[in-house]
């Protein structure tokens, strides 16, 4: 039956596309591989692998390289070992983190290798125009540093604090002046030829965590710092909600998230003079480590505030994991055990609590992942009658 | 390129399976269809459609029927018009709802057509053994009514109040005596040859709502009655959580879900003698409709209680829709506008609130859907080297 099974033209093009994507998956993010290895990985016959690789090579997705098996480019049998690598430099993506104090940009190739980055200090008081100018300057610097032009960017994503609607408009932002009502992705349209997807910063940090940190299928990411935010990963996917308002448990005023960090910082008065709230918090955490009773009480109170919101979220989605990230992640030694105990007191199933290890890069990394996902989605959802070429996936 | 594209044996079996599933999808839940129509729907060539249909017919998935085009079984051109229908009666599934007051069973064929049902009144005081005996009796009656034997059942699912772990063990149940620690699905193993998946009742009601009621991608289903429970659909899928504890917001004692219905019913004292809490609530709702101020205050208080929990859930997942179902769904005229107003007061994005129209059948219907999903999943995840036969999908 297998041999004589007939197939239509639709089957043929669909099958070709499946095989193309299968070969690409076998070479992406790897050292150059000989056809035989690609054939083994994909389960395709050697002949099919060869035909598909030639198409992909012609289109500019693969680079044929010299064999590097210690035999000087020739195999023992005297035949050249053809090796292919994914041409990750065929396109690039950009991830941006636009915060109150800084703007951060990562530029990566299609294998997610970061080829450029730039960070600019900005003022929390900057209006939208000034902040967008800083974003544009930072982006240009990152691209220049990578030897790239704006038109080399296939997809971009931006994280910003606040609620971001499905069309990329920021519908509410407590931190960034003039940001509410703005579509900061569209504002970058004059510079980049690709779309810029905008998402909530805590959401992107959660996505980064899922990608490069703790890989739980379902997790609540808590961005804990001078402000509190959360992002959700559900079933391995970033969950943004119907209007981008998922994870906004802080809107429940009675749980005290709006001034939790302020109250923590206030305890620093007893431990010495401080420049700002982040510094104050750092002093409180240090004093708590030194067993200062007031500082310990302040930390307990802060964690109880955090836990009130996280408990409601845990009881809602029952995640595998709660990740503690953000500016206060360095105090995980104090925060994680206390948060675990608070959750265990009420939750029917207490999830693991772990500290993020991604540091300050989490939001920009998550934006990078989102931009890469956009490219990947264009590749897998392309009509199988359309040839899979870089120009088609780039989108113009 | 298309014509000469080579394909491996793996491609062939995969392609055959895709085509088989594609033809089955084109005939399931429909009147008998001629090959031409199946070919048009699937996009497969006429010849491929014919070969696939013959395989499926041989295996017992399709029934060939007389043409019914008004020409007495012959088409104008003198050739018989071969029509196929899905043999939905090849297998059956069972959905059970095990509650405090009643046990309900639905039996359906593979097209989800209900071919048998039975309902038994039970006592809330019944111990686990007695309740399981009632379940078994109800199931036997439903099967007998449908002219089926236990071995005709390919998959079954059961809804029960309480938290249900991933292996089907009930880890907590406030309503059913002796139910905690029990695996009620396994207990039915002596009767049915298939596994019985157990799930939380509110979860299954949510699944039923997604299937036969409001079809929102992401929704919170509130089972509102003499007890309060919730179920979540996220991204079109039932979301049960890491330990089956999703939607258990009622564990937050301070929101008052544990005695919300009791406090509502207590207002009935002023409106006349009542037999039980459900009756009392009915009287309060009726008095509220008649503008009795105490009853209106009690309803306001009840909705405020419900809203405290639902608000936290909405702020967590930002759903498209909140569905109000359960025993009090008949009072939607009073409850829905109040709940909408309460949510709007705090939520950043207020979801629509709508009443369920599934009535008392919701949990058993959701169990039926879960059992059908199990069968469908076996069909789509079957190794493509294994022939797709009813015996293989039945599982023994």
């Amino acid at each position: 039956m297998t041999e004589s099974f007939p197939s239509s033209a639709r089957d043929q093009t669909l099958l070709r596309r499946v095989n193309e994507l299968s070969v690409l998956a076998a070479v992406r993010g790897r050292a150059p591989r000989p056809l035989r290895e690609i054939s083994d990985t994909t389960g395709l016959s050697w002949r099919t692998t060869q035909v598909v690789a030639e198409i992909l090579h012609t289109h500019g997705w693969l680079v044929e390289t010299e064999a590097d098996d210690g035999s000087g480019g020739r195999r023992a049998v005297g035949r050249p070992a053809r090796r292919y690598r994914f041409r990750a430099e065929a396109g690039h993506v950009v991830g941006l983190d636009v915060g109150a104090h800084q703007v951060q940009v990562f530029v990566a190739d299609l294998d997610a290798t970061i080829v450029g980055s730039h960070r600019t200090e900005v003022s929390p008081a900057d209006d939208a125009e000034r902040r967008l100018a800083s974003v544009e300057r930072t982006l240009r610097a990152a691209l220049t540093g990578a030897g790239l032009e704006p038109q080399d960017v296939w997809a971009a994503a931006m994280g910003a604090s606040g609620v971001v609607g499905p069309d990329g408009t920021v519908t509410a932002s407590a931190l960034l002046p003039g940001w509410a009502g703005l579509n900061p992705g569209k504002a970058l349209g004059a510079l980049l030829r690709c779309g810029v997807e905008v998402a909530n910063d805590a959401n992107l940090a959660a996505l980064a965590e899922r990608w490069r940190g703790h890989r739980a299928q379902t997790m609540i990411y808590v961005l804990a710092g001078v402000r509190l935010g959360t992002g959700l990963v559900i079933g391995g996917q970033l969950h943004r909600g119907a209007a981008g308002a998922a994870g906004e448990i802080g809107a429940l005023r009675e749980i005290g998230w709006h001034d939790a960090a302020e109250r923590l910082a206030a305890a620093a008065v007893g431990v010495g003079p401080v420049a700002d709230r982040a510094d104050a918090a750092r002093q409180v955490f240090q004093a708590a480590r030194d067993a200062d009773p007031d500082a310990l009480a302040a930390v307990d109170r802060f964690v109880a505030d955090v836990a009130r919101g996280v408990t409601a979220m845990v009881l809602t989605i029952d995640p595998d994991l709660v990740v503690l990230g953000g500016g206060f992640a360095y105090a995980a030694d104090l925060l994680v055990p206390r948060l675990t105990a608070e959750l265990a007191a009420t939750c029917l199933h207490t999830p693991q609590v772990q500290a993020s290890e991604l540091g300050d890069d989490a939001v920009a990394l998550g934006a990078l992942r989102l931009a890469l996902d956009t490219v990947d989605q264009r590749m897998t959802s392309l009509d199988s009658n359309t040839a899979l070429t870089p120009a088609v996936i780039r989108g113009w």
Side-chain angles (χ1 to χ4, degrees), chain A:
Chain A
M1 179 47 60
T2 295
E3 290 312 305
S4 65
F5 196 76
S7 45
S8 64
R10 185 203 72 145
D11 290 340
Q12 285 293 330
T13 60
L14 200 63
L15 188 55
R16 184 177 58 189
R17 179 56 36 85
V18 168
N19 289 342
E20 285 169 349
L21 294 172
S22 175
V23 168
L24 284 176
V27 293
R28 277 183 85 169
R30 288 169 164 280
R33 304 185 82 180
L35 280 178
R36 172 55 59 203
E37 225 178 279
I38 300 170
S39 160
D40 288 349
T41 302
T42 57
L44 299 172
S45 70
W46 192 88
R47 170 81 188 121
T48 302
T49 307
Q50 188 185 37
V51 171
V52 173
E54 271 163 18
I55 296 170
L56 293 170
H57 179 250
T58 304
H59 286 162
W61 290 114
L62 298 185
V63 178
E64 200 180 335
T65 65
E66 298 275 312
D68 182 20
D69 56 2
S71 63
R74 295 269 155 189
R75 292 169 77 189
V77 291
R79 242 181 92 187
R82 288 213 276 181
R83 280 166 190 262
Y84 289 97
R85 70 166 176 86
F86 178 60
R87 205 164 77 83
E89 66 275 25
H92 291 85
V93 298
V94 160
L96 305 100
D97 173 13
V98 181
H101 293 272
Q102 64 164 23
V103 172
Q104 187 179 3
V105 175
F106 282 142
V107 183
D109 66 18
L110 299 181
D111 268 346
T113 303
I114 292 176
V115 298
S117 69
H118 202 80
R119 186 189 293 257
T120 307
E121 302 293 317
V122 294
S123 164
D126 282 355
D127 62 16
E129 198 181 340
R130 187 180 287 264
R131 195 174 305 274
L132 282 170
S134 299
V135 172
E136 201 172 313
R137 211 166 46 243
T138 313
L139 174 55
R140 279 188 195 279
L143 289 173
T144 304
L148 296 172
E149 299 292 331
Q151 62 265 31
D152 296 322
V153 180
W154 289 13
M158 179 195 294
S161 77
V163 179
V164 181
D167 72 341
T169 301
V170 178
T171 57
S173 178
L175 278 192
L176 306 183
W179 215 245
L182 192 75
N183 189 320
K186 277 201 182 141
L188 280 185
L191 175 55
L192 293 176
R193 290 186 65 178
C194 65
V196 181
E197 194 168 358
V198 185
N200 169 271
D201 52 0
N203 281 344
L204 291 182
L207 187 61
E209 197 64 47
R210 163 79 185 145
W211 182 32
R212 291 278 171 96
H214 300 293
R215 286 151 207 257
Q217 275 287 308
T218 297
M219 84 172 92
I220 296 169
Y221 178 96
V222 183
L223 196 72
V226 293
R227 70 177 199 91
L228 287 165
T230 76
L232 275 75
V233 169
I234 299 180
Q237 304 288 316
L238 180 61
H239 178 79
R240 290 194 263 186
E248 294 291 336
I249 196 80
L252 283 177
R253 298 282 297 184
E254 63 264 40
I255 65 172
W257 279 26
H258 56 289
D259 62 357
E262 199 175 320
R263 281 178 287 130
L264 175 75
V269 175
V271 295
V274 287
D276 71 10
R277 207 173 287 167
D279 283 346
R282 191 175 290 273
Q283 291 196 21
V284 176
F285 287 130
Q286 194 46 57
R289 287 195 191 99
D290 296 339
D292 176 276
D294 289 346
L296 281 168
V299 171
D300 285 345
R301 214 164 41 229
F302 177 72
V303 174
D305 287 345
V306 173
R308 258 193 299 281
V310 176
T311 297
M313 296 182 74
V314 168
L315 287 171
T316 301
I317 69 162
D318 184 19
D320 304 303
L321 183 68
V322 171
V323 175
L324 190 94
F328 292 170
Y330 67 84
D333 57 317
L334 294 164
L335 301 175
V336 167
R338 282 173 174 78
L339 184 55
T340 304
E342 289 275 358
L343 295 181
T346 307
C347 297
L348 298 185
H349 165 243
T350 307
Q352 271 209 297
V353 180
Q354 296 192 318
S356 171
E357 284 157 12
L358 298 181
D360 283 349
D361 294 341
V363 178
L365 266 182
L368 207 56
R369 182 64 258 173
L370 196 61
L372 283 164
D373 287 347
T374 302
V375 172
D376 287 351
Q377 216 203 323
R378 282 188 216 147
M379 294 182 77
T380 51
S381 63
L382 185 66
D383 183 295
S384 61
N385 286 312
T386 305
L388 182 71
T389 67
V392 163
I393 299 306
R394 187 183 57 185
W396 64 81

